[in-house]
Amino acid sequence: MTATEDATARFLALVNANRPEPRPTPTFPALPASGGGSSYANTALARELDNVRNAYEGSRNHTLNTAAFNIAQLVASGHLDQADVEAQFRQAAHDAGLPAAEALATIRSGLRGGSRHPRQVETSTYEAPMSVIETTLDQILGRTPTPAVETQADDPDEPPSLDASSWYARPVLDRAAQQAAAPEPALLARTDGTHLLYPGKINGLVGESESGKSWVALHAVEQLLKEGRRAAVLDFEDAASTWVSRLRLLGITDEQLTLLRYADPDESLDVVGRAALAEMLADHDPALIVLDGANAAMTLLGLELNDNADATKFNRLVLKPLTQLGAAVLTIDHVPKNSEQRGKGAIGAQAKRAMIDGAQFIVEVTQPFGVGQRGELKLLVDKDRAGYVRGQSGGARFAGKVVIDSIAETSTSMWVEAPHGQDQGDEPWRPTHLMEQVSKLLEDVTDGLSGRNIREEVKGRVEHIRTAVDALVEGGWAERSTRAGRGGGVIFTIAHPYREGDKPPTREVVPSGSNRFREPLPVTGSQSHSPYGVGTSTEPVQDHLPGRTGSGTTSETNEAGR
């Protein structure tokens, strides 16, 4: 077999994406060998067999009947052997998931009908193997249309059997028995043992730039590698060194890294690329395939992000084939930068969300992290077709809190905490690490410090330090007051020491003019940068307690003392 024929065989196998049940290993059928028939007839048979294997559920019987009818016309004119044709159609029907008895009846019905209309072809219509490949690529990529093999849907002498139509209503139990049951989630485990990703399905992570999406995918890969299972990454946005360094931080050894395959494509998915993907699926058999950068992947293939037809092509061309052996596919995508333009799902065509047949999550930062810090992300269910994940999510939406602990600086720990009851993860973000640093600083002074003094002593982004000070005041751990004397100025003093994880002190009646023991005010923010690519910048919080101005000065009167 030549290199071209081998690539052709792998390509034809990979486009078989819609089988009802995954098989242990992929098959790579070659183009039918010429058994005395013409090259045109063999090529036509190859195309019709491919149509049968790629037929969508609900159209397979009709496609099989039409294909058998078309090829029977060439059998009747002596270009192909009927027994060989029937055997190959039976195999293609089996590959497509059709029951053997039902498929055989449909094949023979089509063959009988087509044999009544022999079709002659010119011997000069030979097509070389590479032209067959290019023709098929043209059809899939929507380029120059290729004339299809002549079809005749109706036979006036013997019309196709009615049950060959997808419109034919069958007993529902018989139909259900032909379809595989929906799998339950089996990857990306939370601390309570619940899993969030579906095997054999397309799952997704969407969020703003630097929201931690890739870290969630890293955690899913980390879990698999530590279990001795395989994974693969198709990376359109980053580099292998980033994945290796972060996985090592998560405790993955070089021996475990041998279970991970990585590709960073920079060319269109041609027939050689398809063969390479097919080989990876067959030889490596990954349980999870991460596709990082769905938008970049579509652009590389010349597809428009906002075009539903192109999104559907991307699904059929890339995503569906990756699931054919049961791997969970996890795409990483962006949401629109303008929050007012956001709906459900990722940026671009609605078909991008429609192609998710597993679960998709929106990733949001609730506490930024970096070297020496601990951060938190929130997973919100955006789509869950089977409903298993929503059933284990707070308010059917909050799937869990992702904790990224890098306090040790030389290592990182990650876990996904389950929601508590109907908790929907709506607590305001608080920079708890900085809050503890500010608290310790104020504990060491007796006269208090100004905001400028605090920002000079504590390391961190200015806006985060301001948020930490406000959170300490609003939580009752610190007090804000005006310095006595000419010039005044706002100073902050400690009321109760704060350590990460502490809850606000118990409320009590306080003297007039004091800010202690107030209920925390919500803290709002917008995304920004941080050392690990995950961060939230927060504008200074305006005070809204009675009599308090935005500058932080106090002139309130306790309502109980009036």
Side-chain angles (χ1 to χ4, degrees):
M1 178 182 291
T2 67
T4 298
E5 290 172 336
D6 181 61
T8 304
R10 293 174 182 273
F11 163 70
L12 292 176
L14 189 62
V15 297
N16 264 334
N18 294 300
R19 298 172 186 166
E21 296 181 3
R23 299 186 295 172
T25 57
T27 58
F28 307 103
L31 288 172
S34 177
S38 70
S39 298
Y40 175 87
N42 284 319
T43 300
L45 176 58
R47 290 177 178 175
E48 293 293 356
L49 292 171
D50 194 41
N51 288 339
V52 172
R53 292 189 180 99
N54 286 307
Y56 287 98
E57 190 171 332
S59 68
R60 293 176 298 190
N61 221 326
H62 178 71
T63 301
L64 177 61
N65 183 269
T66 300
F69 182 98
N70 293 335
I71 296 304
Q73 294 177 311
L74 298 175
V75 171
S77 57
H79 292 282
L80 293 169
D81 177 74
Q82 179 163 338
D84 180 59
V85 165
E86 181 177 307
Q88 294 203 54
F89 271 122
R90 291 177 69 176
Q91 180 61 48
H94 172 76
D95 292 345
L98 286 170
E102 178 184 341
L104 181 59
T106 301
I107 292 168
R108 290 181 174 173
S109 173
L111 291 176
R112 286 195 304 270
S115 65
R116 299 179 186 276
H117 303 274
R119 178 152 50 96
Q120 298 295 334
V121 295
E122 297 294 333
T123 58
S124 61
T125 55
Y126 172 75
E127 292 182 81
M130 185 52 71
S131 68
V132 175
I133 294 170
E134 292 300 328
T135 296
T136 311
L137 284 173
D138 284 344
Q139 291 174 318
I140 290 180
L141 293 176
R143 301 187 302 211
T144 305
T146 302
V149 176
E150 181 183 346
T151 62
Q152 182 170 342
D154 299 315
D155 177 10
D157 298 322
E158 184 176 344
S161 59
L162 295 178
D163 63 0
S165 170
S166 61
W167 289 91
Y168 186 82
R170 297 170 178 79
V172 65
L173 292 178
D174 293 348
R175 194 75 184 97
Q178 298 172 13
Q179 300 171 345
E184 295 186 15
L187 297 92
L188 186 55
R190 295 189 316 208
T191 53
D192 64 348
T194 297
H195 294 83
L196 303 179
L197 303 181
Y198 291 84
K201 301 292 183 181
I202 301 168
N203 305 269
L205 297 171
V206 300
E208 295 185 3
S209 179
E210 301 183 351
S211 63
K213 304 181 294 294
S214 294
W215 277 96
V216 178
L218 275 161
H219 184 45
V221 171
E222 172 206 357
Q223 290 182 349
L224 285 175
L225 299 185
K226 288 181 177 179
E227 294 171 3
R229 301 169 68 188
R230 298 181 178 92
V233 175
L234 301 178
D235 195 349
F236 296 87
E237 290 197 345
D238 215 317
S241 57
T242 300
W243 281 81
V244 170
S245 62
R246 289 181 174 182
L247 285 169
R248 283 175 173 165
L249 280 173
L250 291 168
I252 297 299
T253 66
D254 285 357
E255 181 179 356
Q256 291 169 329
L257 283 172
T258 62
L259 300 173
L260 179 64
R261 293 289 185 271
Y262 179 93
D264 48 354
D266 59 3
E267 57 194 358
S268 185
L269 185 61
D270 57 13
V271 69
V272 178
R274 290 174 175 277
L277 281 178
E279 184 171 313
M280 183 272 288
L281 289 174
D283 296 345
H284 191 56
D285 192 22
L288 173 67
I289 302 173
V290 178
L291 194 149
D292 193 352
N295 289 343
M298 289 185 64
T299 301
L300 184 65
L301 298 182
L303 303 175
E304 293 292 333
L305 303 183
N306 295 313
D307 189 296
N308 282 312
D310 278 0
T312 302
K313 288 179 186 176
F314 180 66
N315 182 42
R316 186 177 70 245
L317 191 68
V318 179
L319 300 181
K320 273 296 184 182
L322 295 177
T323 67
Q324 66 174 317
L325 294 187
V329 172
L330 180 60
T331 66
I332 300 178
D333 211 340
H334 297 281
V335 295
K337 293 182 179 180
N338 187 341
S339 59
E340 294 181 358
Q341 296 177 353
R342 294 177 194 166
K344 290 187 174 182
I347 189 173
Q350 176 61 26
K352 292 176 69 177
R353 185 170 185 268
M355 68 191 182
I356 299 294
D357 56 0
Q360 179 161 279
F361 303 90
I362 297 172
V363 183
E364 295 181 356
V365 177
T366 54
Q367 182 170 317
F369 80 103
V371 176
Q373 296 183 351
R374 167 175 161 155
E376 295 178 0
L377 312 174
K378 180 166 60 176
L379 294 181
L380 301 175
V381 180
D382 179 59
K383 183 177 180 180
D384 179 24
R385 177 166 292 181
Y388 289 107
V389 176
R390 285 195 188 277
Q392 299 296 321
S393 301
R397 179 166 168 77
F398 178 42
K401 177 173 67 176
V402 181
V403 179
I404 309 173
D405 189 343
S406 189
I407 292 178
E409 296 190 7
T410 58
S411 65
T412 299
S413 298
M414 288 187 67
W415 61 91
V416 183
E417 295 181 359
H420 302 289
Q422 293 302 304
D423 176 20
Q424 298 188 38
D426 294 330
E427 303 92 346
W429 170 70
R430 295 180 182 279
T432 56
H433 182 70
L434 290 176
M435 288 170 64
E436 181 173 327
Q437 292 185 49
V438 173
S439 176
K440 289 179 178 179
L441 178 65
L442 294 178
E443 292 167 29
D444 292 336
V445 298
T446 56
D447 297 331
L449 294 173
S450 67
R452 176 177 294 180
N453 294 148
I454 293 173
R455 292 191 294 275
E456 289 173 349
E457 296 294 329
V458 176
K459 295 181 179 180
R461 294 177 65 90
V462 171
E463 59 266 34
H464 292 170
I465 296 173
R466 286 173 174 160
T467 302
V469 173
D470 287 334
L472 288 172
V473 172
E474 302 304 339
W477 293 285
E479 295 180 349
R480 176 193 285 117
S481 59
T482 303
R483 192 189 303 272
R486 186 175 179 180
V490 177
I491 61 170
F492 300 90
T493 54
I494 195 70
H496 291 276
Y498 171 83
R499 299 296 180 267
E500 282 196 72
D502 286 355
K503 299 297 182 182
T506 305
R507 285 180 64 96
E508 65 181 34
V509 177
V510 294
S512 173
S514 174
N515 296 323
R516 294 170 55 201
F517 313 120
R518 292 286 177 181
E519 292 290 347
L521 289 179
V523 179
T524 59
S526 59
Q527 300 303 315
S528 182
H529 302 278
S530 79
Y532 267 38
V534 182
T536 299
S537 66
T538 308
E539 297 299 325
V541 177
Q542 297 295 320
D543 296 320
H544 298 289
L545 294 180
R548 182 174 295 177
T549 67
S551 64
T553 58
T554 55
S555 60
E556 67 179 301
T557 301
N558 188 283
E559 292 292 329
R562 284 188 176 179

